[in-house]
Amino acid sequence: MPEKILESFEIRRLEILDPKGEVDESLMPSLSADEIKKMYELLILSRTFDQRAIDLQREGRLGTYASILGQEATQVGSAFTIKKSDWIFPSFREMGVYMTLGYPIHQLYQYWAGDERGLKAPKDLNIFPICVPIGTQMLHAAGAAMAAKYKRDPIAVITYFGDGATSEGDFHEAFNMAGVFKLPVVFICQNNHWAISLPRERQTAAKTLAQKAYAYGFEGIQLDGNDIFAVYKGTKDAIEKARRGEGPVFIECVTYRMSSHTTADDATRYRSKEEVEMWKLKDPILRLKLFMERKGLWTEPYQKEIEERSRQIIDEAVKVAESVEPPHPEDMFTYTYAKPTFRQLKQMEDF
Amino acid sequence: MPEKILESFEIRRLEILDPKGEVDESLMPSLSADEIKKMYELLILSRTFDQRAIDLQREGRLGTYASILGQEATQVGSAFTIKKSDWIFPSFREMGVYMTLGYPIHQLYQYWAGDERGLKAPKDLNIFPICVPIGTQMLHAAGAAMAAKYKRDPIAVITYFGDGATSEGDFHEAFNMAGVFKLPVVFICQNNHWAISLPRERQTAAKTLAQKAYAYGFEGIQLDGNDIFAVYKGTKDAIEKARRGEGPVFIECVTYRMSSHTTADDATRYRSKEEVEMWKLKDPILRLKLFMERKGLWTEPYQKEIEERSRQIIDEAVKVAESVEPPHPEDMFTYTYAKPTFRQLKQMEDF
Amino acid sequence: MPQLNMVQAINLALKEEMMRDPDVVILGEDVGKNGGVFRVTEGLWEQFGSERVIDTPLAESGILGISIGMAAYGLKPVAEIQFVGFTYPALDQIFSHASRIRSRSRGRYTCPLVIRTPYGGGIKAPELHEESPEALFCHMPGIKVVVPSTPYYAKGLLISSIRDPDPVLFLEATRLYRLIKEEVPEGDYTFPLGKARIVREGKNITLVAWGSMLHKVLQAVEGYDDVEVIDLMTLHPFDEETLFKSARKTGRVIIVHEAPKTCGFGAELSATLAEEAMLYLKAPILRVTGYDVVMPLPKLEDFYLPTVERIRKAMEDIIKY
Amino acid sequence: MPQLNMVQAINLALKEEMMRDPDVVILGEDVGKNGGVFRVTEGLWEQFGSERVIDTPLAESGILGISIGMAAYGLKPVAEIQFVGFTYPALDQIFSHASRIRSRSRGRYTCPLVIRTPYGGGIKAPELHEESPEALFCHMPGIKVVVPSTPYYAKGLLISSIRDPDPVLFLEATRLYRLIKEEVPEGDYTFPLGKARIVREGKNITLVAWGSMLHKVLQAVEGYDDVEVIDLMTLHPFDEETLFKSARKTGRVIIVHEAPKTCGFGAELSATLAEEAMLYLKAPILRVTGYDVVMPLPKLEDFYLPTVERIRKAMEDIIKY
Ligand SMILES: Cc1ncc(C[n+]2csc(CCOP(=O)(O)OP(=O)(O)O)c2C)c(N)n1
Ligand SMILES: Cc1ncc(C[n+]2csc(CCOP(=O)(O)OP(=O)(O)O)c2C)c(N)n1
Ligand SMILES: [Mg+2]
Ligand SMILES: [Mg+2]
């Protein structure tokens, strides 16, 4: 071809830990035994939280809930590398991220029970509230990164979103801003193969989501999202790069939404049992367990112990969540503006 | 690197006619002498239209006007390949496209003088009115393409936009729709290096705009937009591909906005004389002229003749535009809905 | 005649219109195989295939933008936006294009598009799933706004909306989807856009509402004699004549809506009366509305929404006046 | 004291606030080297550099989205949207985020953001360059809406807006940018948000307007005695007290705005009066507004906009009533 070639790209995929629990030692990040156990415990805690949320929802004690089942490694593995000084802009399916960062668990239940007080992050944690309108929070992440850069704060900003979110215009504008201003932001996509009933292949005709980053002049990489070591390594590299001021990275974590979209959805209407069964074999927790067993880090009693501990933590969180006084109707008015307007003051007299 | 490579891309650039008027014969599309002369005459007509518009604006006979100076080859070359059955969704800086398609020239002046009647396309021409909100019309193109596909109409839909438009969220959503539904749409970007005062390099960190197409799973190509043969060939191939139902193509035409953004802008505030001078050497009309001269298709008398003819056409168009009765105030109401509402009927009594 | 709820009535209208006219197509998120998150399009994908019941990527501006192109080309798209709160990313396409293309092209292109979307509170759903932003759309010339309140009218109004030559925003009160069943005839019938209906006649007070609030109002007026209740049904353009007639008769008007008070659609109704029918009014025009706050999450939503008590209090106030 | 036009007064406010507070940054399309398409930010890029006067890509949702993130992080962004018609693609960020982040996070994060944007007609500009959609924003709890009418107040109101802890939409009437000069002091002064001002006192009629229409009203009342003119200045939250006081005094109210009548901000003012001050009214509340049509292109815009004649006719009607 006599035409000129202007640019060329390659899209890479990182895998370290396979479904049998074996690792590629050449890629394995350095993690102490304690760190690996901590990760494992967070995976178990996340799954315990999730199962309890579904139970509570069935009993009418929570509202509609979005399960994280199957996505725990993506969430724990990535959040594991985040520092207190970093800022995080989640979507709505990141309970494992909140928990890894130490967000008060009872507040998560409070939120899912329909109480916005659950969304008030503790002072020492720079995590934004759950974001319902899909794709919109990535721009806030870019903005925070811009502010951090302006203030010379050597932090990273991390934002989470799903495969569906990549179709929204705001995704595009956020990625473009990040590229143009070389912002310290790490975009983490939980590609769980589904956006409610739309499969990934019909969300976009691109073969990978990772390749979308090149449209904005920065790097995208695909990871096995059920491989906690790949997630950890990929996000750690990206976050450190961001903290060094070397610009954004896009990480596509390929994982799977094992349950329905939410408790209000019935995934059997639109996807095959076989697909779900196939992904069960790639379970992120099982995989880490097999690895740990091989390394002598996992035993039956250990499993029992951490399951029991998780259960206690979750029991306690539910108890606290459910013993909180219901919000006062006046609460509706308190946070519209710093000070209520004349009209609001009049309206508040109804209570 | 032990990681897997999932995909790789190369971004190509097509050039045929160089600034000295020499062509790469291996790439030269087959065009008769008459066709080439027709193209040249449309370039001259476009430039004559443009210069007159600027003069009229200075005299207060038009409103703010957006010049196409320097972009004529991109416009004439691409529109030259469009059939009457195709649909076209322009932006606002495509007077050369309208004229190549045979749009009544007096209506263009009427529009720029602030009369929406100028935007009513003749029955046999499927061109949409000028679109002011940047980037939004690409979605209409995708939608029309979807409808054509549904109706099994073997047509192509062509949409034009600028480099700035590639930053808008609607650009992203339109490209994604086109990819997912494999729509018969050709996206033509007039990358004229500037979006008002923002240079292309700060519009996006991507090295080319063409590469953005790969984020949506289809092909993007860069052309020398001042090279009418490259534009013609690139768009012809893409349009024919679309008509055959083989999906979308994105064409980045690299050209230059020789004048200020509009008559209300002063480009000397933000860009260097040197840059403008450099681009003068790449003038798209000069280049074709040199080629034609070499081929014996151009002579001084010929030039005089077509300049004179263009002037007559433009004189006539201006005369017609300015002799049209001003719109009646009631006109405001006529096209809000198919039938005016009760309230509108009451309001119309004011006139 | 079958007893249908609103989901079924709307589904029936869609099915019949698609059978009647091959240019009618449906598009949106999860409208196909999944039948829509509220199952409003259930069975249509099976019946009409994926070319006519189109699952789109997650992109609201995209959905409405391509719908506009489809409509201009000659189809009659019925686009579903999953919740009205998710029309916000698509407002530019509605305001700048759907509502203007007829005007901008001087009638050469039109936009016979229906945007169906659930609206309103009372279903204990997450943020942005319970919005009532109808007033925003009523302010934009070029679009019509329809809000059915019962299955029977939902079907007739939707058929009219699909056949209307201009874009229609068709707001479906989520709380009503499965709340009421009533007889809904099969086959063609329409209810004209721009016409209100008197649900209950009376001489003392006029209560105006639409969608889900109509039922709150009907609950509130139980046991009250001589109260007139108007179901507005089309908000833009609204039926001034019916409103004036009723106001002239009763001299007392109460407007009830879910949206925040300030600049809600109640303001327009009230201002219209204050401008053109003030002479007949015996009392101030009252508005019972949502408060001027962000719609709260489920724990407080019942306090936000107008209640039977608040409506009754307004009725007492207006009578005492 | 220097005589400044509105462009200069706003520029001065920006400059002084940037000097006072390093957290104030400006961003938008062409605001940097080019100084903004109306030159409102002229000289600021030279003075404060490209880190504080930021030329962004062409993406309005992006501009406001990143502004929200910047504001939450601790900066005080002043974002320019080139024309208010181009806020439409960014409405989701305004409605779903800027106005809600304080509420959603229960005060943990806030959004001290100013969105500056030219609005309004009378400048013979292309489509979407002359919109007056202020009412849309007034309906959304969580945001404030300010419209200055003269250079002096523009400066004071902008400084207040920048220092306000909540998001403010600051609408600058394009037609006024260079129309009037007046004395504008250098240095710090503020004018409180939420307060209207009486521009002219009178006992017979109250005329309410804001931004560019204020000047049309002032022209219209020339030669009429005893007419009171209110410049609302802040539309949301608006100064009910000043309005009530005036309405109580004159008993006759005319509201003038450029936006289409239906659901314009005039509707809220009128409805508020109809609800709370009807007893004092001697005549219907009149609205002189734009028509319910798409804002026409230059050839017809003078017919669209309220004229001195239409305002005078309303004054005569209301007096005769
Ligand atoms: C703007 C917007 N449109 C639609 C929805 C409704 N909705 C909620 S989640 C969802 C799918 C999201 O898919 P994805 O981004 O892949 O995230 P996942 O649910 O898989 O975690 C949709 C359509 C929404 N919340 N926001
Ligand atoms: C949504 C929107 N934002 C801003 C503008 C104002 N504006 C008009 S043209 C323009 C620059 C467009 O740049 P580009 O897309 O490169 O087209 P060009 O002017 O170079 O032809 C801008 C910002 C607009 N018309 N629409
Ligand atoms: Mg997903
Ligand atoms: Mg350009």
Side-chain angles (χ1 to χ4, degrees):
Chain A
M1 216 165 9
E3 294 123 308
K4 286 191 217 162
I5 305 298
L6 299 173
E7 272 276 65
S8 58
F9 306 104
E10 283 181 344
I11 314 304
R12 294 172 305 127
R13 178 181 165 101
L14 179 63
E15 292 173 4
I16 300 176
L17 173 66
D18 76 10
K20 299 201 186 70
E22 277 171 53
V23 298
D24 180 332
E25 292 292 351
S26 72
L27 292 169
M28 183 65 191
S30 85
L31 278 165
S32 69
D34 276 356
E35 284 173 318
I36 292 172
K37 284 169 77 179
K38 178 84 189 131
M39 279 181 167
Y40 188 68
E41 289 157 25
L42 282 163
L43 292 175
I44 297 290
L45 183 68
S46 299
R47 193 161 285 184
T48 311
F49 173 92
D50 194 66
Q51 187 52 53
R52 184 68 58 87
I54 289 168
D55 294 344
L56 291 170
Q57 193 280 333
R58 290 219 179 96
E59 294 166 26
R61 291 156 71 188
L62 291 189
T64 300
Y65 172 73
S67 167
I68 62 169
L69 188 68
Q71 304 181 209
E72 297 91 347
T74 292
Q75 303 192 7
V76 172
S78 60
F80 209 80
T81 71
I82 295 174
K83 288 191 194 164
K84 285 275 177 197
S85 50
D86 295 332
W87 280 58
I88 306 99
F89 292 80
S91 178
F92 65 98
R93 198 191 294 284
E94 280 91 21
M95 293 307 104
V97 171
Y98 280 88
M99 281 185 278
T100 303
L101 296 172
Y103 195 90
I105 297 174
H106 73 271
Q107 280 191 244
L108 299 176
Y109 284 120
Q110 235 182 309
Y111 165 71
W112 289 105
D115 181 348
E116 35 271 276
R117 291 174 304 174
L119 294 180
K120 180 172 187 166
K123 269 227 166 68
D124 66 339
L125 201 55
N126 304 311
I127 191 164
F128 240 51
I130 275 178
C131 178
V132 167
I134 298 295
T136 52
Q137 78 280 9
M138 297 175 228
L139 278 167
H140 312 153
M146 205 144 164
K149 192 175 173 177
Y150 174 68
K151 295 203 167 211
R152 308 285 186 271
D153 294 341
I155 65 148
V157 178
I158 296 97
T159 180
Y160 290 88
F161 51 93
D163 44 302
T166 64
S167 294
E168 290 281 2
D170 277 1
F171 162 93
H172 178 70
E173 301 192 14
F175 270 56
N176 197 43
M177 293 287 181
V180 166
F181 297 111
K182 228 182 157 201
L183 300 177
V185 55
V186 178
F187 294 101
I188 301 181
C189 178
Q190 297 194 70
N191 170 5
N192 63 5
H193 281 80
W194 292 90
I196 308 188
S197 72
L198 200 74
R200 157 57 194 90
E201 312 81 67
R202 285 198 282 137
Q203 194 64 249
T204 177
K207 195 167 153 197
T208 71
L209 299 178
Q211 74 201 52
K212 290 181 183 282
Y214 294 90
Y216 311 99
F218 59 90
E219 187 199 349
I221 179 172
Q222 192 186 81
L223 313 174
D224 180 344
N226 284 6
D227 163 351
I228 198 164
F229 296 141
V231 174
Y232 174 78
K233 184 176 159 51
T235 42
K236 188 161 187 292
D237 289 352
I239 289 176
E240 283 171 358
K241 183 177 165 186
R243 289 203 199 101
R244 285 195 307 271
E246 292 167 22
V249 176
F250 175 32
I251 298 177
E252 175 190 3
C253 298
V254 180
T255 179
Y256 196 77
R257 194 195 77 206
M258 292 301 295
S259 60
S260 289
H261 171 66
T262 62
T263 50
D265 177 50
D266 171 12
T268 64
R269 293 173 66 92
Y270 51 77
R271 72 181 183 185
S272 74
K273 255 202 190 116
E274 293 71 48
E275 185 181 292
V276 180
E277 287 306 314
M278 197 263 285
W279 276 94
K280 264 194 194 150
L281 305 175
K282 303 191 190 175
D283 186 80
I285 302 190
L286 179 65
R287 198 182 286 204
L288 182 57
K289 180 191 129 180
L290 292 172
F291 170 82
M292 288 167 69
E293 199 170 6
R294 188 165 293 160
K295 295 277 171 188
L297 295 172
W298 185 91
T299 61
E300 281 285 356
Y302 168 69
Q303 180 75 15
K304 282 233 171 80
E305 183 201 319
I306 61 170
E307 279 181 5
E308 179 53 31
R309 207 190 311 147
S310 296
R311 210 175 301 123
Q312 280 170 11
I313 293 170
I314 296 302
D315 284 347
E316 178 61 21
V318 173
K319 212 169 76 192
V320 174
E322 296 194 334
S323 63
V324 171
E325 283 280 297
H328 190 277
E330 254 195 42
D331 251 38
M332 279 193 290
F333 296 89
T334 315
Y335 299 102
T336 318
Y337 299 98
K339 278 190 224 148
T341 63
F342 341 117
R343 185 161 277 199
Q344 285 186 312
L345 288 172
K346 240 183 285 168
Q347 294 177 351
M348 284 162 83
E349 289 169 12
D350 283 3
F351 299 101
Chain B
M1 217 166 8
E3 295 123 309
K4 286 191 216 161
I5 305 299
L6 299 172
E7 274 274 63
S8 59
F9 306 103
E10 283 183 343
I11 314 304
R12 293 173 307 128
R13 180 180 164 102
L14 179 63
E15 292 174 3
I16 299 176
L17 174 66
D18 75 11
K20 300 201 186 70
E22 277 170 53
V23 297
D24 180 334
E25 293 290 352
S26 72
L27 294 169
M28 183 66 189
S30 85
L31 280 165
S32 69
D34 275 357
E35 284 173 318
I36 292 172
K37 283 169 77 177
K38 177 87 187 129
M39 278 183 170
Y40 188 70
E41 288 157 26
L42 283 163
L43 292 175
I44 298 288
L45 182 67
S46 299
R47 192 161 284 186
T48 311
F49 172 92
D50 194 68
Q51 186 52 53
R52 185 68 57 87
I54 289 166
D55 295 344
L56 291 171
Q57 193 280 334
R58 291 221 178 93
E59 294 165 26
R61 291 156 71 187
L62 291 189
T64 301
Y65 172 73
S67 166
I68 61 170
L69 188 67
Q71 305 182 206
E72 297 91 346
T74 291
Q75 303 192 7
V76 172
S78 60
F80 208 81
T81 72
I82 294 174
K83 288 192 194 165
K84 284 274 177 199
S85 50
D86 296 331
W87 280 58
I88 306 99
F89 292 80
S91 178
F92 66 97
R93 196 191 296 283
E94 279 89 22
M95 294 307 105
V97 171
Y98 280 88
M99 280 185 278
T100 303
L101 296 173
Y103 195 91
I105 297 174
H106 72 270
Q107 281 191 244
L108 299 177
Y109 285 120
Q110 234 182 309
Y111 165 71
W112 290 104
D115 181 348
E116 35 273 273
R117 292 174 303 175
L119 294 181
K120 179 172 189 167
K123 268 227 169 67
D124 66 339
L125 201 55
N126 304 309
I127 192 165
F128 239 50
I130 275 178
C131 179
V132 166
I134 297 297
T136 53
Q137 76 281 10
M138 296 174 229
L139 278 167
H140 312 152
M146 206 143 161
K149 192 175 174 178
Y150 174 68
K151 296 204 170 209
R152 309 283 185 273
D153 294 342
I155 65 147
V157 178
I158 296 96
T159 181
Y160 291 88
F161 50 94
D163 44 304
T166 65
S167 295
E168 289 280 3
D170 277 1
F171 162 93
H172 178 69
E173 301 192 12
F175 270 56
N176 197 43
M177 293 287 181
V180 165
F181 297 111
K182 231 184 155 197
L183 300 177
V185 55
V186 178
F187 295 101
I188 301 181
C189 178
Q190 297 194 67
N191 171 3
N192 64 4
H193 281 79
W194 292 91
I196 309 187
S197 72
L198 199 74
R200 156 59 194 88
E201 313 80 67
R202 285 197 282 136
Q203 195 63 248
T204 176
K207 196 167 152 193
T208 71
L209 299 177
Q211 73 200 55
K212 290 180 183 280
Y214 294 91
Y216 312 98
F218 61 89
E219 188 198 348
I221 179 174
Q222 191 183 84
L223 312 173
D224 180 344
N226 284 6
D227 163 352
I228 197 163
F229 297 142
V231 173
Y232 174 78
K233 182 175 161 51
T235 44
K236 188 161 187 292
D237 290 351
I239 288 176
E240 283 170 0
K241 182 178 166 185
R243 289 202 200 104
R244 285 194 308 270
E246 292 166 22
V249 177
F250 174 32
I251 298 176
E252 174 189 2
C253 298
V254 181
T255 178
Y256 196 78
R257 195 195 78 205
M258 292 301 295
S259 60
S260 290
H261 171 67
T262 62
T263 49
D265 177 51
D266 172 10
T268 63
R269 292 174 65 91
Y270 51 77
R271 69 181 187 185
S272 73
K273 252 199 190 121
E274 293 72 46
E275 184 181 294
V276 181
E277 288 305 315
M278 197 263 284
W279 276 94
K280 263 193 194 149
L281 306 176
K282 302 190 189 176
D283 186 82
I285 302 189
L286 178 65
R287 200 183 286 201
L288 182 59
K289 179 191 132 181
L290 292 173
F291 169 83
M292 287 167 68
E293 198 168 9
R294 188 163 295 162
K295 296 278 170 184
L297 296 173
W298 185 91
T299 60
E300 281 284 356
Y302 168 70
Q303 180 75 16
K304 283 234 171 82
E305 182 199 321
I306 61 171
E307 280 179 6
E308 179 53 30
R309 208 190 311 144
S310 295
R311 210 174 302 121
Q312 281 169 9
I313 293 170
I314 296 301
D315 284 346
E316 178 62 20
V318 172
K319 212 169 75 192
V320 175
E322 296 194 333
S323 63
V324 171
E325 281 282 296
H328 189 275
E330 253 195 41
D331 251 36
M332 278 195 288
F333 296 88
T334 315
Y335 299 101
T336 319
Y337 299 98
K339 279 190 223 149
T341 63
F342 342 116
R343 184 161 279 197
Q344 285 186 312
L345 288 172
K346 238 182 289 170
Q347 293 177 353
M348 283 162 82
E349 288 168 12
D350 283 2
F351 300 102
Chain C
M1 233 187 287
Q3 292 273 337
L4 303 184
N5 66 25
M6 201 185 274
V7 166
Q8 295 164 325
I10 294 171
N11 181 277
L12 184 62
L14 291 169
K15 189 171 98 178
E16 289 177 5
E17 283 300 283
M18 289 183 84
M19 284 168 64
R20 192 186 58 78
D21 181 352
D23 286 342
V24 177
V25 299
I26 286 175
L27 69 164
E29 293 157 14
D30 308 293
V31 295
K33 201 167 181 182
N34 196 35
V37 291
F38 289 105
R39 310 283 177 257
V40 174
T41 55
E42 178 145 37
L44 301 179
W45 179 80
E46 288 80 356
Q47 184 172 354
F48 298 101
S50 56
E51 262 196 323
R52 289 188 71 190
V53 184
I54 305 161
D55 275 322
T56 65
L58 211 179
E60 290 75 15
S61 186
I63 293 168
L64 296 190
I66 63 173
S67 297
I68 292 164
M70 293 165 97
Y73 195 88
L75 299 186
K76 288 171 165 287
V78 181
E80 176 177 303
I81 297 293
Q82 214 153 65
F83 289 89
V84 73
F86 306 136
T87 60
Y88 298 163
L91 289 177
D92 189 33
Q93 285 293 342
I94 301 176
F95 292 168
S96 301
H97 290 294
S99 60
R100 290 178 203 232
I101 184 59
R102 178 189 292 278
S103 173
R104 181 187 303 131
S105 69
R106 299 285 97 179
R108 170 71 163 82
Y109 300 104
T110 61
C111 189
L113 159 68
V114 178
I115 306 168
R116 287 186 40 247
T117 185
Y119 90 96
I123 56 157
K124 303 267 190 274
E127 206 190 2
L128 286 161
H129 287 64
E130 306 210 352
E131 305 278 297
S132 298
E134 61 271 20
L136 303 182
F137 301 92
C138 297
H139 188 41
M140 274 296 151
I143 181 151
K144 296 178 182 175
V145 180
V146 175
V147 194
S149 59
T150 83
Y152 173 79
Y153 289 102
K155 183 181 170 191
L157 286 164
L158 182 54
I159 294 179
S160 296
S161 299
I162 293 172
R163 297 182 191 173
D164 196 273
D166 288 304
V168 177
L169 179 73
F170 193 83
L171 294 169
E172 303 167 2
T174 321
R175 214 177 65 88
L176 298 184
Y177 266 152
R178 294 167 200 282
L179 198 70
I180 320 157
K181 283 201 169 193
E182 69 181 355
E183 293 199 339
V184 176
E186 283 186 29
D188 229 326
Y189 69 93
T190 59
F191 197 87
L193 305 191
K195 285 266 167 279
R197 68 184 176 108
I198 309 279
V199 183
R200 235 182 94 148
E201 294 210 39
K203 288 200 295 278
N204 277 336
I205 313 179
T206 300
L207 283 124
V208 188
W210 51 91
S212 130
M213 279 300 122
L214 178 75
H215 301 278
K216 271 275 165 66
V217 166
L218 290 174
Q219 245 179 293
V221 301
E222 258 172 46
Y224 287 75
D225 272 349
D226 253 0
V227 170
E228 183 143 308
V229 177
I230 298 180
D231 178 6
L232 212 55
M233 298 203 291
T234 300
L235 304 195
H236 192 85
F238 75 96
D239 185 347
E240 297 189 9
E241 205 185 311
T242 300
L243 180 69
F244 288 153
K245 238 170 104 176
S246 182
R248 222 171 286 152
K249 179 168 66 173
T250 65
R252 296 182 190 88
V253 180
I254 299 172
I255 301 153
V256 183
H257 64 64
E258 292 187 41
K261 182 172 203 165
T262 301
C263 288
F265 191 67
E268 179 55 45
L269 295 174
S270 177
T272 301
L273 290 167
E275 191 156 17
E276 309 209 34
M278 200 190 255
L279 209 59
Y280 308 102
L281 295 179
K282 300 177 191 144
I285 305 162
L286 301 187
R287 291 182 282 168
V288 181
T289 70
Y291 298 107
D292 284 315
V293 302
V294 175
M295 175 81 199
L297 289 190
K299 291 273 185 207
L300 290 179
E301 73 173 28
D302 290 341
F303 295 98
Y304 170 86
L305 292 170
T307 55
V308 165
E309 294 67 43
R310 285 175 61 203
I311 298 169
R312 291 212 173 131
K313 180 164 182 312
M315 288 164 64
E316 277 152 36
D317 287 352
I318 212 167
I319 285 292
K320 269 193 289 192
Y321 191 83
Chain D
M1 236 187 292
Q3 292 272 336
L4 302 184
N5 65 24
M6 201 184 276
V7 165
Q8 295 163 324
I10 294 171
N11 181 278
L12 184 61
L14 290 169
K15 188 170 101 178
E16 288 177 3
E17 282 299 282
M18 290 183 83
M19 284 169 64
R20 191 188 58 79
D21 181 353
D23 286 341
V24 177
V25 299
I26 286 175
L27 70 165
E29 293 157 14
D30 309 292
V31 295
K33 201 167 182 179
N34 196 35
V37 291
F38 287 105
R39 309 282 177 258
V40 174
T41 55
E42 178 145 38
L44 301 179
W45 179 81
E46 288 80 356
Q47 183 171 355
F48 299 101
S50 55
E51 263 195 323
R52 289 188 71 190
V53 185
I54 306 162
D55 274 323
T56 66
L58 212 177
E60 290 75 13
S61 186
I63 293 168
L64 296 191
I66 63 173
S67 297
I68 291 165
M70 292 165 98
Y73 195 90
L75 299 186
K76 289 171 164 287
V78 181
E80 177 176 304
I81 298 293
Q82 213 152 65
F83 289 88
V84 72
F86 306 138
T87 61
Y88 298 163
L91 289 178
D92 189 33
Q93 285 292 342
I94 302 175
F95 292 170
S96 300
H97 290 295
S99 60
R100 290 178 203 232
I101 185 59
R102 177 189 291 279
S103 173
R104 182 187 302 130
S105 70
R106 299 285 96 180
R108 171 71 164 80
Y109 300 104
T110 62
C111 189
L113 158 69
V114 177
I115 305 168
R116 286 186 42 247
T117 185
Y119 90 96
I123 57 159
K124 302 263 189 278
E127 208 191 359
L128 286 160
H129 288 64
E130 305 209 354
E131 305 278 298
S132 299
E134 60 271 21
L136 304 181
F137 301 92
C138 296
H139 188 41
M140 274 296 151
I143 181 152
K144 296 178 180 174
V145 180
V146 174
V147 193
S149 59
T150 83
Y152 172 80
Y153 289 101
K155 183 180 170 193
L157 285 165
L158 182 54
I159 294 178
S160 296
S161 299
I162 292 173
R163 298 182 190 174
D164 195 273
D166 289 304
V168 176
L169 180 74
F170 193 83
L171 294 168
E172 303 166 1
T174 321
R175 213 179 64 89
L176 299 184
Y177 267 152
R178 294 168 198 280
L179 197 70
I180 320 157
K181 282 200 170 196
E182 68 182 354
E183 293 198 341
V184 176
E186 283 187 30
D188 230 326
Y189 69 95
T190 61
F191 197 87
L193 306 191
K195 287 264 167 280
R197 68 186 176 107
I198 309 279
V199 182
R200 232 182 98 148
E201 294 208 41
K203 286 198 298 278
N204 277 337
I205 312 179
T206 302
L207 284 125
V208 188
W210 51 91
S212 128
M213 278 302 120
L214 178 76
H215 300 278
K216 272 275 164 66
V217 166
L218 290 173
Q219 244 178 293
V221 301
E222 260 173 43
Y224 287 75
D225 272 348
D226 252 358
V227 170
E228 183 141 309
V229 176
I230 298 180
D231 179 6
L232 212 53
M233 297 205 288
T234 299
L235 305 195
H236 191 84
F238 74 95
D239 185 347
E240 296 188 9
E241 205 185 312
T242 299
L243 180 69
F244 289 153
K245 240 170 103 177
S246 182
R248 223 171 286 154
K249 178 169 66 175
T250 64
R252 297 182 190 87
V253 180
I254 300 172
I255 302 153
V256 183
H257 64 64
E258 292 187 42
K261 181 172 205 168
T262 302
C263 288
F265 191 68
E268 180 55 46
L269 294 174
S270 177
T272 300
L273 291 167
E275 192 156 16
E276 309 209 34
M278 201 192 255
L279 207 60
Y280 308 102
L281 295 180
K282 301 178 193 146
I285 305 161
L286 301 186
R287 290 181 284 168
V288 181
T289 70
Y291 297 108
D292 284 315
V293 302
V294 175
M295 177 81 201
L297 290 189
K299 290 274 183 205
L300 289 180
E301 72 173 30
D302 290 341
F303 295 96
Y304 170 86
L305 292 171
T307 55
V308 165
E309 294 68 43
R310 285 175 61 203
I311 298 168
R312 290 210 173 133
K313 177 160 185 315
M315 288 164 65
E316 277 152 34
D317 287 351
I318 211 166
I319 285 292
K320 268 193 286 187
Y321 189 80

